[in-house]
Amino acid sequence: MFKYLDKDGRNAEFAIDSENPAVLKIGAYEFEGMKIPARDIDMTPYQGKMVRIYIEKDGSYSMDYGTHEWLLVMGIVPEVTYKNVADGTDENGQTRMKQEEVPIDLHDTELTVFALPETED
């Protein structure tokens, strides 16, 4: 779920990838006179963490700590979860179980989208 903080409700298009719900899709937009291309970001490496995506002066994205040009979006990526699945049978005919990681789904995550700086037309 996206929570938009800009006055018009959206400054760029954001979506969760329909085939891989761990991927955040950011549509193309303009930032300080630059055309920023669309980009997909796989959030799997950030499971269980607060993520902040920044725009830099050159139009690139950054997710590290430090000084940045503008905060675009932030949220907490869901933690790693596991499910038990059958893994054959043991020597006594009993079903063996193993834990399997459940892929993250950003649909249940609140991502806050910040307004881009206002520009004079």
Side-chain angles (χ1 to χ4, degrees):
M1 173 172 104
F2 296 100
K3 178 181 175 184
Y4 293 91
L5 298 183
D6 62 330
K7 68 180 181 181
D8 297 324
R10 295 188 179 218
N11 54 19
E13 291 293 320
F14 290 83
I16 308 303
D17 188 291
S18 60
E19 293 179 22
N20 182 356
V23 173
L24 173 64
K25 299 179 80 58
I26 303 173
Y29 58 95
E30 283 195 29
F31 176 71
E32 296 185 344
M34 292 180 285
K35 293 192 183 295
I36 310 297
R39 178 156 179 209
D40 294 352
I41 300 174
D42 185 353
M43 301 299 245
T44 303
Y46 307 101
Q47 288 180 314
K49 297 179 182 173
M50 169 61 79
V51 171
R52 292 176 180 87
I53 302 172
Y54 301 93
I55 308 168
E56 301 300 345
K57 287 183 180 186
D58 64 359
S60 64
Y61 291 106
S62 177
M63 295 173 74
D64 63 355
Y65 293 100
T67 304
H68 304 280
E69 186 68 12
W70 202 264
L71 177 59
L72 181 64
V73 62
M74 75 176 204
I76 298 174
V77 178
E79 293 190 20
V80 178
T81 58
Y82 298 91
K83 66 179 178 181
N84 289 322
V85 295
D87 187 33
T89 56
D90 64 14
E91 62 278 356
N92 297 320
Q94 299 293 314
T95 302
R96 279 192 312 239
M97 302 297 284
K98 70 175 182 177
Q99 285 194 332
E100 190 174 273
E101 189 173 313
V102 177
I104 63 170
D105 185 344
L106 295 175
H107 287 101
D108 296 328
T109 302
E110 182 174 292
L111 297 169
T112 302
V113 178
F114 293 87
L116 292 173
E118 291 188 25
T119 58
E120 295 179 17
D121 293 332

